[in-house]
Amino acid sequence: MTAATQRFSQRLPRQIPAVLTLGLVSQVVQVMLLRELLMVFHGNEFAIGVILACWMLWVGAGSRLGAIVAERAKRPVMLATWNTVAVLLLLPVTLILIRGLRGFFDVLPGAYLSVVDMALACLLVMAPVCLALGAQFVLLARIWRECVHATDTIGADKTYASEAGGNIAGGVLFSFVFVHYLNAFETAMLAGVLMLAAALWLIRGANAESSQLSKTPIRVLFTLLIATGASFLFLERVDDWAYRLQWRLFAPEHQLIETHQSEHGTIFVVQRGDQYSFYQSGHLVFTTAEPGAHEAALEEQDAAIFAHFALVQHEDPREILLIGGGLRGMIREMAFHPIERIDYIELDEVLTQAAAPYVPRATLEALADPRARLLHTDGRLFVKTTEQTYDMIVVDIPDPATAVLNRYYTKEFFREAKARLNPGGVLVLGVTSMADLRGLAVTNRNATIYHTLKTAFSRVLPAGGRFLYYFASDDPGQISPDPDELRARYMERGVESEGFSPWQFEMLLEDSQLRRINWTIRNHGRTPGAHLQRPETGPLFPDSIAEQEQAEEELPPPNERFFINSDFRPIGYYHTLMFWNVLTRADHTEAFLWLMRVQAWWILPVAGVLLAGALALRFTGAQTGTRPDAHLAVLFAVFTTGLSTMAIQIAVLFSFQSVYGFIYEMVGLITALFMVGLASGAWLSQRYIRRKANMNLLAVVQLLIALYAVFIAGALPVSAAVDNPNHVFVLFSILTIAAGLLNGAGFPISAACSMQLNRRPEKATGLVYGAELFGGCLGGALASAVIAPVLGIPACALFAAVANAAAFGIIVIARR
């Protein structure tokens, strides 16, 4: 090494770049794989917990494996170096496996993967990379311990805090740089390059201290760095090939035309014949005819029906707010009516730009109409904050198959929309349905939307068949089930559309079907077990709509838990998942039904059994002179810390999404904020607590987490009242950082307590780090897949509170 390099090395210890880079790469890889898997799983947040759970499970297993290896290794620097090479080689392979995932399952083109498929897929493809990253943590902790000549867990403490610092950098870089300028393979290879460079610095520093190490690893690393740099010339083509592989498996009859990266998700333009479809994050956004089409073709028929059926439900609509649907022809059809203004909300500007060359010219002309105003913003946030009012609000977005989309079907949104309607205003939305409404899942979902609308509007009319429209207003004279009245309104306006005939009102409002659908939807969901029972068979000749509306006043109220959809209990999202599972993979319906039987109090007997077990171990230890109760207390405290902080994070993420908007582009930044708290907590604990091997301190941390979880459960619903998006972001940032602070503060204390019990620093490091990740695995899976959609988002925090209260009790039993 040169003299200048030696002086710099003295200022920068050789292990720090490797630890910081491990944190940075881990964060970038986690978010990158999360985004890639969400595309395969159709953007379903149900999968977020599954993905994070599998990540933590394998990283935790890797830390345990790393502890075994690190204890026996004579040259941990060499092991860490070759492990870095393994990460570099595994990353592109993992991306290819993810994009080809559907080929490993017996699933029809276009069908959703089941929850079991999701879990199995994540377990298989994420295992190699996660095992390597988990093992790297323990190896670097030993290297740090040896660098400072310590015999305790100080190396683990410093590695934990420094890795969190790298996590912060990774989250920020991914959110603001990588996602905008690099594709997934370029991001993966750049992450590998950074790890290689850090490994090179690590091994050169080790060579400077020991003449026993070979120069060969340095030559290998330099060769790999050059080869990886050269690979950037081909990575764009590799990325394109992998996307085409993904689309051949998902929709073999479609041809992938273009791919666009957006902060809101990857956009795909695919073609089949003269039809173009636009997907974002695996979800179909809309379909349109070829650019040369002047008139509404087959693909625009649904948009034409929706637009005209909606606008005639108001006697004189002048000012319209349209959320979604404009690019598929809704604005073009609405413009045939004598309206004065259409405000059209489209979330993603990149989607609009990508669609422009492919939509019909008539659609582009409608967007250029002086009455139309295109706004690229979150529709929910716009409705909440705008001062403008409208005669009609028309919501034309996909079904609530994700938590993001479910935000437009909740009682909070319906009340916000009502506040933006002029007197006599009408809200219109629609969902995919089934003509006979005999299925439990579809009836649950449709009845939930109806009952939720009724919490905001005095009159709601469902109508349709395979696509169900909902019209809601407080003015009884506006919406009408009478096709003659609607046809008269249509013709009085002089509307002439090639895509719609006024005689279609007879088909849309066929009397017997309209009465039957209304009877089923209005009556379903009013008994305690309705969500588990097929809808009742109605009368052979149901009453008229007017008679049903009058009779409804005497019916019992709907079961609020399962038939009122809200931001903080998104049960409509859960019913929709069950409905799409029935349509595509009917083999897991019983699992959905079983999950809806889950009760919040079930956790209490589990906590009681754990406390009883701790008492039994305390008695056994007193008889044998051992301390099994203390071992249980430490590991369970670490486990519940991981479980609770992940459950709280899921609650905060879902709440932030409901209040603020789309979290897809914010996942990296939000995780970085959590790591800010975690790094700060670990540093404060390591810096200011002199005697960390203290069970009393560990008990205090568990109690503080339990109390904070209770606070979170009460604070999240209150946050919905905050209107300013900047204030919302600051609020959720503070909540996220505080959760990380408590998590980070507990790690050095837990590691020291574990070390005091087993006297082996690497084993203590692996046990504590692994137990925390295993806890996070369980917490993430339960919170996102069960607790949030079925019991409600605040229940995630209460679940965390009970878990940490139990950990506090076990420590109190075990402490001497």
Side-chain angles (χ1 to χ4, degrees):
M1 299 176 71
T2 64
T5 304
Q6 288 177 337
R7 288 194 298 273
F8 183 69
S9 179
Q10 292 173 353
R11 293 194 299 270
L12 182 67
R14 60 185 172 91
Q15 73 275 9
I16 290 182
V19 175
L20 288 172
T21 307
L22 173 63
L24 185 151
V25 170
S26 295
Q27 188 59 52
V28 168
V29 170
Q30 183 190 69
V31 179
M32 180 181 70
L33 296 185
L34 181 67
R35 289 169 62 102
E36 289 287 327
L37 286 165
L38 280 175
M39 281 190 283
V40 178
F41 302 151
H42 304 279
N44 183 355
E45 294 89 352
F46 195 87
I48 289 179
V50 175
I51 297 167
L52 293 179
C54 292
W55 172 276
M56 292 184 177
L57 175 67
W58 285 123
V59 173
S63 72
R64 291 293 297 121
L65 177 64
I68 296 170
V69 174
E71 280 193 318
R72 302 174 182 177
K74 295 181 179 180
R75 295 181 177 180
V77 171
M78 295 300 299
L79 279 176
T81 300
W82 296 125
N83 197 40
T84 298
V85 174
V87 171
L88 171 68
L89 298 177
L90 286 170
L91 283 175
V93 175
T94 302
L95 286 174
I96 293 173
L97 286 174
I98 289 174
R99 295 192 184 174
L101 263 179
R102 293 181 65 89
F104 295 95
F105 296 94
D106 183 18
V107 56
L108 295 174
Y112 283 24
L113 292 174
S114 70
V115 176
V116 175
D117 294 339
M118 291 180 191
L120 182 60
C122 292
L123 284 170
L124 292 176
V125 301
M126 297 174 72
V129 169
C130 292
L131 285 169
L133 292 173
Q136 191 79 346
F137 175 88
V138 183
L139 290 170
L140 292 177
R142 176 181 165 180
I143 292 169
W144 198 316
R145 179 178 65 80
E146 292 179 345
C147 286
V148 297
H149 309 291
T151 58
D152 57 11
T153 57
I154 190 172
D157 299 345
K158 292 181 177 293
T159 302
Y160 187 79
S162 299
E163 186 199 29
N167 291 145
I168 298 168
V172 172
L173 283 173
F174 189 90
S175 296
F176 295 107
V177 180
F178 295 167
V179 75
H180 296 284
Y181 302 107
L182 300 176
N183 64 45
F185 284 89
E186 290 169 342
T187 299
M189 298 310 288
L190 180 57
V193 165
L194 292 173
M195 283 196 75
L196 281 180
L200 187 61
W201 179 269
L202 180 69
I203 200 168
R204 288 189 68 179
N207 273 345
E209 296 175 9
S210 174
S211 59
Q212 297 179 355
L213 292 178
S214 169
K215 298 290 184 181
T216 301
I218 296 179
R219 299 189 187 100
V220 172
L221 292 180
F222 267 120
T223 303
L224 281 173
L225 276 173
I226 294 171
T228 305
S231 72
F232 275 79
L233 298 173
F234 310 100
L235 292 180
E236 187 171 346
R237 276 180 280 180
V238 173
D239 186 64
D240 181 68
W241 169 82
Y243 274 136
R244 294 184 185 281
L245 169 66
Q246 184 175 5
W247 274 95
R248 282 200 300 271
L249 296 171
F250 175 62
E253 295 183 355
H254 290 73
Q255 178 185 359
L256 180 62
I257 302 299
E258 289 183 4
T259 303
H260 299 269
Q261 295 297 331
S262 162
E263 62 182 2
H264 301 295
T266 304
I267 297 167
F268 301 101
V269 183
V270 298
Q271 181 182 11
R272 182 183 180 185
D274 59 355
Q275 177 190 72
Y276 291 91
S277 298
F278 298 82
Y279 287 79
Q280 188 165 39
S281 301
H283 262 295
L284 175 63
V285 182
F286 69 95
T287 299
T288 185
E290 61 184 1
H294 288 277
E295 311 297 341
L298 179 62
E299 294 76 16
E300 279 75 41
Q301 289 293 317
D302 291 341
I305 294 171
F306 197 152
H308 298 300
F309 196 22
L311 261 62
V312 295
Q313 293 290 350
H314 192 288
E315 292 180 334
D316 187 25
R318 295 294 174 178
E319 296 180 328
I320 312 294
L321 174 63
L322 173 63
I323 301 176
L327 294 173
R328 75 175 184 124
M330 287 285 286
I331 285 186
R332 178 178 63 193
E333 298 298 323
M334 287 180 169
F336 289 129
H337 292 254
I339 57 178
E340 296 174 358
R341 189 176 83 241
I342 304 175
D343 285 348
Y344 166 42
I345 305 291
E346 186 61 63
L347 174 66
D348 198 344
E349 186 173 5
V350 176
L351 176 63
T352 305
Q353 294 169 352
Y358 300 101
V359 299
R361 284 193 294 271
T363 298
L364 296 178
E365 291 169 0
L367 288 171
D369 189 313
R371 296 175 296 171
R373 182 174 64 147
L374 173 60
L375 302 170
H376 290 110
T377 185
D378 179 75
R380 176 72 187 270
L381 191 61
F382 178 83
V383 169
K384 186 172 184 176
T385 58
T386 186
E387 298 288 331
Q388 181 66 46
T389 58
Y390 301 91
D391 297 316
M392 298 192 75
I393 296 176
V394 180
V395 181
D396 184 18
I397 63 172
D399 292 359
T402 69
V404 163
L405 297 170
N406 188 70
R407 300 163 58 235
Y408 294 95
Y409 297 85
T410 64
K411 65 180 181 181
E412 290 85 358
F413 172 69
F414 294 153
R415 290 169 183 172
E416 291 164 1
K418 180 179 178 178
R420 298 293 171 257
L421 287 171
N422 294 322
V426 179
L427 172 67
V428 184
L429 54 89
V431 290
T432 305
S433 184
M434 299 175 72
D436 55 3
L437 284 187
R438 298 317 318 157
L440 173 62
V442 67
T443 308
N444 279 349
R445 197 278 311 276
N446 291 349
T448 296
I449 295 175
Y450 174 81
H451 294 311
T452 306
L453 277 166
K454 286 288 288 184
T455 64
F457 295 93
S458 60
R459 186 154 189 247
V460 178
L461 176 66
R466 296 192 179 277
F467 189 85
L468 191 65
Y469 302 89
Y470 292 87
F471 308 103
S473 178
D474 281 338
D475 186 341
Q478 292 286 16
I479 57 179
S480 172
D482 184 355
D484 294 331
E485 181 179 353
L486 298 182
R487 184 166 51 250
R489 292 180 184 179
Y490 181 87
M491 300 182 72
E492 285 171 4
R493 298 173 191 177
V495 179
E496 294 183 3
S497 169
E498 294 290 335
F500 187 81
S501 165
W503 299 106
Q504 286 182 265
F505 290 120
E506 296 284 353
M507 179 183 64
L508 292 168
L509 295 168
E510 196 277 320
D511 189 58
S512 62
Q513 181 179 0
L514 182 66
R515 292 186 183 204
R516 186 170 57 253
I517 287 174
N518 271 264
W519 190 95
T520 301
I521 290 176
R522 293 171 190 271
N523 284 271
H524 188 65
R526 298 182 184 273
T527 58
H531 59 289
L532 301 173
Q533 302 167 359
R534 293 179 67 87
E536 295 181 28
T537 302
L540 185 60
F541 299 103
D543 293 337
S544 68
I545 300 302
E547 291 170 330
Q548 288 188 37
E549 289 176 335
Q550 185 175 4
E552 188 176 2
E553 298 176 3
E554 306 300 323
L555 294 176
N559 182 336
E560 184 170 354
R561 177 178 167 186
F562 293 103
F563 291 95
I564 300 296
N565 192 29
S566 73
D567 287 342
F568 295 95
R569 185 181 285 132
I571 192 64
Y573 156 51
Y574 190 83
H575 290 322
T576 304
L577 286 181
M578 186 175 174
F579 173 44
W580 281 106
N581 178 77
V582 169
L583 291 180
T584 59
R585 297 292 303 276
D587 47 347
H588 294 97
T589 302
E590 288 302 319
F592 280 95
L593 292 175
W594 185 88
L595 290 176
M596 283 198 290
R597 293 184 173 92
V598 171
Q599 300 294 324
W601 60 265
W602 287 5
I603 190 176
L604 297 179
V606 176
V609 169
L610 289 168
L611 291 170
L615 283 170
L617 288 176
R618 173 68 183 263
F619 177 77
T620 302
Q623 298 295 316
T624 62
T626 59
R627 300 198 61 187
D629 55 332
H631 285 277
L632 171 67
V634 172
L635 290 181
F636 188 69
V638 179
F639 180 86
T640 54
T641 297
L643 180 147
S644 299
T645 49
M646 180 51 65
I648 290 172
Q649 270 296 89
I650 293 293
V652 170
L653 278 172
F654 275 37
S655 300
F656 178 80
Q657 180 171 261
S658 296
V659 177
Y660 184 88
F662 213 92
I663 67 165
Y664 195 84
E665 78 279 15
M666 303 292 287
V667 169
L669 181 59
I670 293 171
T671 308
L673 291 171
F674 177 79
M675 290 301 170
V676 168
L678 188 142
S680 302
W683 180 81
L684 289 170
S685 181
Q686 196 275 329
R687 176 71 175 81
Y688 292 106
I689 299 177
R690 294 182 181 274
R691 183 174 173 271
K692 290 186 281 293
N694 188 327
M695 296 285 279
N696 291 329
L697 282 177
L698 192 59
V700 169
V701 171
Q702 299 307 302
L703 183 59
L704 287 174
I705 295 176
L707 293 174
Y708 182 68
V710 173
F711 169 76
I712 286 284
L716 291 180
V718 175
S719 66
V722 180
D723 290 334
N724 188 306
N726 295 324
H727 295 167
V728 172
F729 183 76
V730 170
L731 172 63
F732 280 94
S733 297
I734 293 171
L735 295 176
T736 300
I737 291 171
L741 187 73
L742 291 171
N743 189 342
F747 183 86
I749 300 170
S750 303
C753 290
S754 181
M755 172 67 184
Q756 187 181 52
L757 292 169
N758 59 53
R759 304 296 179 182
R760 294 161 63 185
E762 274 64 62
K763 180 180 179 180
T765 299
L767 280 172
V768 171
Y769 192 63
E772 180 179 285
L773 290 169
F774 290 149
C777 166
L778 182 62
L782 289 177
S784 65
V786 182
I787 301 173
V790 177
L791 300 176
I793 293 172
C796 295
L798 294 176
F799 166 70
V802 173
N804 279 98
F808 172 78
I810 290 174
I811 295 172
V812 170
I813 291 171
R815 69 192 180 100
R816 299 289 190 265

